[in-house]
Amino acid sequence: MIGWDAATASRPATVAVAGVHGHGATHLRHVIKLATEGRVRLLAVADPRPPDDDLPPDVAVYADLRELLAAVEVDVVVISTPIQTHVPLAELALRSGADVLLEKPPAASLAEFEHLLSVIEETGRICQVGFQVAGSRAARTLAELVADGTLGELRGIGAIGTWVRTAQYWQRARWAGRRSLDGVDVVDGAVTNPFAHATAAALMIDGSGRADQVASVETELFRANPIESDDTSAVRVVTSRGTTIVTALTLCAEQNDPEPLVIVHGSAGRAVLRYSVDRLSLTINGRTSDTQYGRDDLLENLLDHRADPSVPLLAPFAETGGFTRVVEAVRVAPAPLEIPARLIRWDGEGLERRPIVAEVEKWVTRAGEELALFSELGAPWATKRDDEEHG
């Protein structure tokens, strides 16, 4: 890391936060907490809209990150802004001499990812990606069990997510539910944003986080909402070590299940990771265990790495290339097919209105358990007949 020295590492890091609404508000609250503990100094925030909550009196507010960096020198920039701004803002921060915690997805295309990777290498700065699952000790334990063969030969990894999202979710920002905006790739959607952790976790557990560790990606993208992007999808990844990963997801479930699953199917056992709550269930040779783990914070890990480079980053940018290969496959895929109206029931009114896809939980669960795509299982919205209706 360029510029590291013991004196610099011993003082509290100076921090700026870009994007202070939505998930950015969570980042801001966390930085303020670390500041009260003397771990960091929050110098400034950048957002076209000022924060909703009061800031400490010595924190400056700027309309954008470029203006902030021209006025203030900071050690770390936390970026939680619209997807299409991630790479240009991260490059701006890195070239200013700052290290970066960049929210997921790290980039909207593989070309953008490769560009920012070259900037990181050129500047020698640090870029950690906000895949919180990388901080999960449950996920890291499962990755170790896979690596050492405790679960035997892998049949594959399935990831299952069934959430409920209303019209308000898709109207929260101009870029929400868009494949592109003003000619710029956004690639928002179930696979790449709300359930990004599911695919990232599966790749991490397989030890296949880098771009060159993904051999192929197949996508089946569908939508029930009046949006550009997908809300009900299946993706199959084959990694360079030969593992099949199937991620099956919907935002149009009957009921919201807050705990998505990553399931490892092995010849000697089975593991179920509930990554949102850091819980790992194991069945190995007929013996079952269920363990609650803790989680390491990604910003604090970045700060620890700055203070002592021998401390490994939990989610280094290069290790999210495999996930970005999935983003790229979604980006270049045909627009999601509209799920036929006969398979959708609408519930609620106004901003609470939402579609419920018939039996979607059953098909999502089967995909993750059987490691098959919706079309291979015969899901009614993914049959050839439905494809013909749309084109």
Side-chain angles (χ1 to χ4, degrees):
M1 183 175 68
I2 291 175
W4 183 87
D5 63 75
T8 299
S10 65
R11 65 168 174 77
T14 54
V15 177
V17 179
V20 297
H21 297 281
H23 190 55
T26 302
H27 281 295
L28 180 58
R29 286 192 295 270
H30 183 52
V31 174
I32 291 173
K33 176 179 178 292
L34 292 178
T36 63
E37 296 169 355
R39 187 77 195 275
V40 303
R41 290 177 55 216
L42 176 61
L43 295 188
V45 301
D47 198 297
R49 289 188 296 133
D52 294 329
D53 299 326
D54 291 336
L55 290 171
D58 57 345
V59 177
V61 179
Y62 298 90
D64 60 59
L65 184 58
R66 184 177 297 277
E67 181 184 355
L68 184 156
L69 293 173
V72 181
E73 184 175 337
V74 295
D75 297 318
V76 177
V77 177
V78 179
I79 297 175
S80 185
T81 56
I83 296 169
Q84 68 274 19
T85 68
H86 285 184
V87 168
L89 291 184
E91 179 174 5
L92 189 67
L94 293 165
R95 292 196 183 282
S96 78
D99 297 318
V100 171
L101 175 62
L102 177 63
E103 256 308 323
K104 55 79 184 167
S109 70
L110 191 58
E112 276 197 332
F113 177 87
E114 291 172 345
H115 171 72
L116 190 56
L117 185 60
S118 70
V119 172
I120 294 167
E121 293 169 350
E122 175 191 342
T123 60
R125 304 313 309 177
I126 304 165
C127 185
Q128 173 118 287
V129 179
F131 279 117
Q132 296 126 337
V133 71
S136 170
R137 295 174 194 166
R140 300 206 302 272
T141 297
L142 181 50
E144 292 169 1
L145 295 175
V146 168
D148 67 19
T150 300
L151 295 170
E153 184 177 348
L154 290 194
R155 182 167 68 86
I157 302 174
I160 296 169
T162 54
W163 282 354
V164 169
R165 292 294 183 269
T166 64
Q168 185 174 31
Y169 176 80
W170 301 110
Q171 295 178 32
R172 70 193 190 281
R174 285 186 65 224
W175 55 269
R178 301 293 295 268
R179 287 166 64 85
S180 64
L181 182 64
D182 301 329
V184 178
D185 289 322
V186 175
V187 201
D188 186 35
V191 174
T192 58
N193 196 2
F195 284 117
H197 298 294
T199 302
L203 289 166
M204 170 187 160
I205 289 162
D206 189 55
S208 300
R210 298 194 310 272
D212 61 1
Q213 293 175 306
V214 169
S216 65
V217 184
E218 299 171 77
T219 63
E220 290 190 350
L221 310 176
F222 303 92
R223 64 173 182 85
N225 285 279
I227 56 176
E228 289 182 356
S229 60
D230 60 296
D231 56 36
T232 301
S233 300
V235 174
R236 177 160 55 208
V237 176
V238 178
T239 68
S240 58
R241 65 187 297 235
T243 304
T244 296
I245 297 171
V246 171
T247 305
L249 315 161
T250 187
L251 298 172
C252 306
E254 176 82 36
Q255 295 182 330
N256 193 65
D257 187 340
E259 299 179 9
L261 308 179
V262 177
I263 306 165
V264 178
H265 306 274
S267 61
R270 168 187 171 95
V272 179
L273 171 69
R274 291 170 171 81
Y275 64 79
S276 63
V277 293
D278 305 310
R279 195 164 191 86
L280 178 60
S281 302
L282 298 172
T283 302
I284 301 173
N285 297 324
R287 299 181 63 180
T288 300
S289 65
D290 190 68
T291 307
Q292 180 70 53
Y293 289 82
R295 178 175 294 201
D296 297 308
D297 179 75
L298 296 182
L299 176 56
E300 293 181 54
N301 170 246
L302 187 156
L303 296 170
D304 290 341
H305 179 77
R306 281 176 49 85
D308 179 0
S310 69
V311 175
L313 283 179
L314 293 174
F317 187 82
E319 289 294 327
T320 64
F323 173 78
T324 309
R325 287 284 306 277
V326 174
V327 174
E328 179 72 2
V330 172
R331 184 183 76 85
V332 302
L337 290 174
E338 185 177 354
I339 295 174
R342 60 184 169 80
L343 299 174
I344 302 172
R345 174 168 58 87
W346 289 88
D347 181 61
E349 299 292 336
L351 292 178
E352 296 303 311
R353 183 170 166 80
R354 66 182 181 95
I356 302 167
V357 175
E359 296 188 308
V360 70
E361 290 93 341
K362 177 184 80 172
W363 297 107
V364 165
T365 299
R366 283 191 61 188
E369 291 285 0
E370 300 176 36
L371 301 174
L373 299 175
F374 291 144
S375 61
E376 296 165 341
L377 295 171
W381 62 83
T383 63
K384 184 176 180 181
R385 182 185 63 187
D386 288 337
D387 287 350
E388 290 172 348
E389 288 178 5
H390 294 286

